[in-house]
Amino acid sequence: MKLRYFEFKNHSDDRGSLVAVESNKDIPFNIKRVYYLFDTDASCSRGFHAHKTLQQVLICVSGECDICLDDGHERETVRLSNPSCGLYVGNNIWREMSNFSKDAVLLVLASELYDESDYIRNYDEFLRYVGVDK
Ligand code: TYD
């Protein structure tokens, strides 16, 4: 599956680096919610769900972690480690996050407020939802 990345401008100078992300400009949706994962145990995997409508951009602003994305047909795993790079996760994509480094902070920009009814937490149900026969 083709992964979509956004390369954000890094305003870097001798004081350090600064990255800004603006709604509908640097990413293709209005940011309604921001959350971040940190202190994740290296042996822990998270996610294991898809969203019916939610779009997200994942930015590993510190450390590193693996993101596995699956559209029901293909599955791809990438290691995120660049704070200037966002990985787009559209709707109907199953995601799993794992192998978090100790210092990992995974920032998530989301197009909607938290809504449990938008989640598909069962993989077989996800395959049915996207019309893939097992
Ligand atoms: P959970 O969905 O289990 O995290 P993940 O699937 O990404 O590993 O979320 C953990 C808890 O946090 C769960 O009780 C729901 C809550 N939560 C919110 O209250 N708001 C949010 O925006 C998110 C993403 C989770």
Side-chain angles (χ1 to χ4, degrees):
M1 62 182 286
K2 179 127 178 57
L3 301 184
R4 187 173 173 195
Y5 293 97
F6 302 106
E7 193 63 45
F8 307 121
K9 184 170 168 47
N10 188 340
H11 302 271
S12 170
D13 58 30
D14 51 10
R15 298 169 297 172
S17 295
L18 185 155
V19 171
V21 182
E22 296 189 8
S23 289
N24 297 310
K25 195 170 153 196
D26 301 297
I27 60 169
F29 57 80
N30 196 27
I31 301 166
K32 284 204 188 155
R33 175 167 54 110
V34 174
Y35 64 93
Y36 38 95
L37 307 178
F38 60 100
D39 281 349
T40 309
D41 195 279
S43 63
C44 276
S45 297
R46 305 199 57 142
F48 298 92
H49 64 256
H51 287 280
K52 296 173 186 168
T53 62
L54 188 74
Q55 303 176 75
Q56 296 181 314
V57 169
L58 276 47
I59 308 167
C60 198
V61 293
S62 169
E64 305 180 9
C65 65
D66 285 343
I67 311 291
C68 172
L69 298 183
D70 179 339
D71 62 4
H73 300 276
E74 288 179 274
R75 175 170 275 246
E76 194 154 332
T77 301
V78 290
R79 189 139 186 91
L80 285 192
S81 61
N82 180 353
S84 308
C85 177
L87 174 65
Y88 179 71
V89 186
N91 63 329
N92 297 339
I93 298 289
W94 185 264
R95 86 287 316 276
E96 298 172 9
M97 292 91 88
S98 60
N99 296 319
F100 285 81
S101 63
K102 223 176 175 34
D103 56 347
V105 180
L106 182 65
L107 180 71
V108 182
L109 310 176
S111 64
E112 302 297 336
L113 302 180
Y114 179 71
D115 175 9
E116 188 57 40
S117 71
D118 192 60
Y119 280 73
I120 306 170
R121 293 194 182 271
N122 177 282
Y123 189 69
D124 289 341
E125 189 187 331
F126 162 69
L127 291 180
R128 281 196 296 278
Y129 190 80
V130 294
V132 174
D133 283 328
K134 263 214 303 182

